[in-house]
Amino acid sequence: MNSQSTPVHIRLWHKDFWLMAIANFLLAMSVYMLVPTMPAWLMETQEFSVQNAGIAMAAFGVGLFALGAFISYLVQHYRRNLVCIYAVLMEALLIGALYYLDGLHMRVASPIIIYVQRFAMGAAFGLAQMVLTSTLIIDTSESFQRTEANHSAAWFSRFALSMGPMAGLVIGRQLGFQYVLLGTLGCALAVILMVLMVNFPFRAPQDDIPTVSLDRFFLPHGFPLFLNLQLVTLAVGIILSVVHVEQFYSMMMVGFAVAILSQRFVFKNAELKSEVVTGLILMGVALLMLITRHLPIVLLAAPLFIGMGVGLIGARFLLFFIKLSRHCQRGTSQSTFLLGWESGIAWGVGIGLAVLKGDVLSGLVAALVLVIVASVMYHFTHNWFTNNKNR
């Protein structure tokens, strides 16, 4: 039932939804700008070993899971937009601590300090992103528009996967790491402002909500999809750990745009599994090109194929999670997808540094192996999904 305090939106793309979608983009930007720049700062300025830098980047992925079990309790007992705002504010303070450290040219006494900072930043980002995608974005759309809302908003954060590293590299090379931190801090503060600009109706708190639960956090029966998605994002994270060329990320962005057009015109009436299979093939071909060829055209075509492949896979897996969820589990499916996506990338970056020591060839080969394993697994995962979906 609609009340006077609950706005009704006939169209999805209204002002409030635009604000939440852009906030989703900027929140992801605040993380991805640090992916190619922070390891270099840790190794050059803080004199970390490549292994310690990798552990620091991977700690972010562990932190993503830290507060998830409390999300349902928090959004039911407090204003959900304020939960998101306080989580983003915590992320901003943690970024500010790095800015203060770099500005004073200080060295940390132990790598553990940075591990804790990255873990806490992952926890803050995970809480903010899960509340934003599983609750706030859904609250700005009508019930019949929510699948489209989830699908569309996710593309904003997907574009941040290419624009974030590209912006970080450009700013870092032109102005220095301090300005990268200022950029990420600006993104986080802009997210807070945008959430404040949307009027979310008050909801009376529920008293029977357990403090710890899997609601809005993790979908246990979606674990096969989660694992298959992580294999892909681990490969993406490893690629991000060894590629530090702005042109690569600009072509990835073009690939994302091509993926959107392909979904609209090429895969509109195609077989259900065709998008993921095509995406995996494109990623595999791109990695083979990067491993075996060193022509200028490869530096244009390969990242375009990777962007298109990652875009197709991410969009389809998100819809799979939604279709796998049961009644009132839409938010949980969003959070599960987010965890699989973000933790895989974070751990992939960590593996690329700590295990593969940032070696380009080793990283590309490892990513190719993961893509092959993901392709084999998807044959079984897809059959399992068709037998277990609920929508």
Side-chain angles (χ1 to χ4, degrees), residues 235-255:
V236 174
I238 291 174
I239 294 169
L240 297 186
S241 73
V242 298
V243 178
H244 303 128
V245 181
E246 292 90 332
Q247 179 181 283
F248 185 93
Y249 295 105
S250 65
M251 291 308 298
M252 267 188 70
M253 188 167 23
V254 175

Side-chain angles (χ1 to χ4, degrees), residues 109-120:
S110 169
I112 294 176
I113 295 174
I114 297 297
Y115 299 165
V116 172
Q117 189 272 346
R118 289 290 296 173
F119 176 87

Side-chain angles (χ1 to χ4, degrees), residues 127-149:
L127 177 60
Q129 189 80 316
M130 282 188 271
V131 173
L132 184 62
T133 57
S134 70
T135 303
L136 300 187
I137 287 174
I138 290 175
D139 284 350
T140 60
S141 55
E142 299 303 313
S143 58
F144 66 93
Q145 298 170 329
R146 286 175 177 173
T147 296
E148 183 185 354

